[in-house]
Amino acid sequence: MNKYENITKELPELQGILLDAIQSEFLEIKSVEKTCEKYIGACEEVPELKEAYFVVYSKYIKKSDHRYEKFIFLNEKGKEVCNVSGQEMELYGLLGECMNLELSKEYEANHTDE
């Protein structure tokens, strides 16, 4: 069962391995809040982040272990622009919903009671 109905249309340059991991909910995708101060500050440290529109990360890693995680930042077409370790930055306050991605009907039907 795929989580998102239109992810390949919206993010045509997304790597297959990331696509599979997102669709199977092993990894999560969120949009980057480009107007928040945390993002603006992070761009000074990692200039490639200016091209980032989405971030892929694991929702299963405990907060105490985030420093060991890698965050994969994607451009508006799903191409990887950079990856940053959890030791270099935190995602809290930097994430928004992916308004352009639609949940599949099958996924919604199986997750209505959550």
Side-chain angles (χ1 to χ4, degrees):
M1 167 182 55
N2 287 333
K3 182 174 182 177
Y4 294 108
E5 188 75 37
N6 64 338
I7 193 168
T8 53
K9 185 178 130 220
E10 291 292 321
L11 303 174
E13 296 179 17
L14 187 63
Q15 293 176 22
I17 189 116
L18 288 178
L19 173 64
D20 293 345
I22 293 166
Q23 289 288 50
S24 66
E25 291 193 278
F26 183 73
L27 294 177
E28 185 68 56
I29 186 169
K30 295 283 185 183
S31 67
V32 174
E33 292 291 333
K34 293 173 96 53
T35 57
C36 79
E37 286 184 34
K38 191 173 195 176
Y39 171 77
I40 294 165
C43 285
E44 290 176 19
E45 300 289 318
V46 184
E48 296 90 349
L49 283 175
K50 290 177 183 163
E51 299 175 46
Y53 284 80
F54 302 98
V55 63
V56 178
Y57 64 97
S58 173
K59 62 183 182 180
Y60 297 109
I61 293 183
K62 291 185 275 184
K63 186 176 181 178
S64 60
D65 292 331
H66 274 294
R67 65 184 179 273
Y68 306 114
E69 187 176 6
K70 284 277 190 197
F71 307 122
I72 301 167
F73 289 89
L74 310 171
N75 70 10
E76 67 275 9
K77 294 188 178 199
K79 182 179 180 195
E80 184 177 334
V81 293
C82 68
N83 58 62
V84 179
S85 76
Q87 201 160 358
E88 294 175 77
M89 74 181 295
E90 288 185 355
L91 293 180
Y92 301 104
L94 191 65
L95 305 178
E97 293 301 315
C98 293
M99 302 311 269
N100 61 328
L101 298 181
E102 299 169 7
L103 294 174
S104 69
K105 306 254 185 286
E106 184 182 27
Y107 179 86
E108 286 186 305
N110 289 318
H111 292 83
T112 54
D113 54 308
E114 287 185 5

